């Protein structure tokens, strides 16, 4: 065939170099759904392992949440850690914690007397979070909806980090959050409109927007990931 190794043209000149095949990503997990449309079971490994610089290794179930952009997880870890600016003795809340990406990164910035309370309600996310946090003594997992969990958290909180769903956190959550009086709130948002609404709600509750970073985490779409930092106005 044209371009095959060792082939030459009719005049004896070297033929074109063989086309390179693109290097495909390694397949880490493959699950097969067996059964009809009304039910079945999954065969094969149903989770993947992600290693994130600055945070550690994470086991994430096939139906769990993880960032789709390959660079998003380490970038968010770096930006959230910078925004949180934790002190060794801080008490931190990580709301909508998922598999614990931010929880574990923040726990690593604390001293032995610091603590992180990670809140997640999705059963699959809670299972992943517990597995990933099992050897981190500074991290406590609360399996509950955020609006309910905020009634059962430490009365003194220094920093709150939240990565709410696309609709945003909303007044019910931000009312309870502001009542705790953290000095800093860091919001990770995948919807600028929802972030704008939450920013207005936080401003009404005494918090000033001090920093905003926008990330192109969803290339060739209109979606933008944001990391916003709010400080309590003294």
């Amino acid at each position: 065939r044209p371009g095959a190794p060792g082939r030459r043209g009719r005049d004896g000149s070297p033929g074109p170099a063989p086309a390179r095949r693109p290097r495909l990503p390694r397949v880490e997990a493959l699950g097969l759904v067996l059964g009809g449309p009304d039910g079945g079971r999954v065969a094969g490994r149903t989770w993947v392992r992600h290693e994130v610089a600055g945070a550690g290794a994470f086991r994430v179930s096939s139906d769990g949440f993880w960032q789709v952009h390959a660079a998003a997880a380490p970038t968010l870890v770096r930006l959230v850690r910078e925004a949180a600016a934790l002190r060794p003795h801080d008490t931190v809340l990580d709301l909508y914690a998922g598999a614990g990406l931010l929880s574990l990164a923040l726990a690593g910035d604390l001293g032995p007397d610091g603590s992180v309370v990670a809140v997640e309600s999705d059963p699959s996310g809670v299972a992943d979070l517990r597995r990933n946090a099992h050897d981190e003594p500074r991290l406590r997992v609360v399996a509950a909806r955020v609006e309910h969990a905020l009634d059962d958290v430490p009365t003194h909180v220094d920093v709150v980090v939240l990565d709410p769903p696309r609709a945003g956190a909303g007044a019910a959550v931000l009312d309870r959050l502001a009542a705790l009086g953290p000095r800093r709130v860091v919001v990770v948002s995948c919807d600028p409109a929802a972030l704008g609404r939450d920013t207005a709600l936080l401003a009404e509750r005494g918090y000033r927007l001090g920093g905003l970073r926008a990330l192109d985490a969803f290339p060739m779409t209109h979606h933008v990931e944001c990391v916003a930092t709010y400080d309590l106005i003294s």
Side-chain angles (χ1 to χ4, degrees):
R1 66 183 184 279
R7 293 289 180 90
R8 292 182 173 271
R10 291 181 179 179
D11 59 356
S13 62
R20 284 189 173 185
R21 295 181 179 179
R23 184 176 180 180
L24 299 176
R26 183 181 64 181
V27 176
E28 293 197 11
L30 177 63
L32 300 177
V33 178
L34 308 177
D38 298 327
R41 64 185 179 87
V42 177
R45 202 177 90 184
T46 59
W47 54 273
V48 294
R49 177 184 170 91
H50 295 280
E51 300 229 6
V52 181
F58 298 85
R59 171 174 165 158
V60 182
S61 301
S62 58
D63 58 347
F65 173 80
W66 195 254
Q67 296 291 333
V68 295
H69 194 297
T75 302
L76 284 173
V77 164
R78 177 175 59 83
L79 294 182
V80 169
R81 292 176 72 187
E82 291 174 0
L86 298 183
R87 301 166 186 170
H89 300 284
D90 278 345
T91 297
V92 183
L93 291 184
D94 181 20
L95 309 180
Y96 312 96
L101 172 67
L102 300 178
S103 304
L104 286 167
L106 295 170
D109 288 343
L110 297 172
D113 296 325
S115 65
V116 176
V117 178
V119 179
E120 176 57 48
S121 62
D122 177 71
S124 177
V126 170
D128 290 335
L129 179 56
R130 291 193 191 281
R131 290 190 195 98
N132 295 328
H134 75 279
D135 59 351
E136 176 49 78
R138 292 163 294 191
L139 199 158
R140 177 165 70 91
V141 176
V142 175
R145 293 183 62 86
V146 167
E147 55 267 34
H148 300 150
L150 288 175
D151 294 329
D152 185 30
V153 296
T155 55
H156 173 79
V157 174
D158 298 291
V159 176
V160 176
V161 174
L162 58 154
D163 185 358
R166 189 171 296 279
V173 168
L174 296 180
D175 277 341
R176 290 176 169 83
L177 185 155
L180 296 170
R183 70 170 182 269
R184 176 160 291 183
V185 176
V186 180
V187 179
V188 179
S189 173
C190 60
D191 187 275
L195 180 62
R197 293 191 295 270
D198 285 345
T199 298
L201 291 169
L202 283 167
E204 293 170 359
R205 288 150 181 79
Y207 285 86
R208 176 180 57 214
L209 177 64
L212 178 64
R213 302 290 296 274
L215 308 175
D216 185 17
F218 312 97
M220 295 182 289
T221 77
H222 67 282
H223 298 294
V224 178
E225 191 90 1
C226 296
V227 178
T229 307
Y230 307 84
D231 293 309
L232 181 63
I233 301 172
S234 55

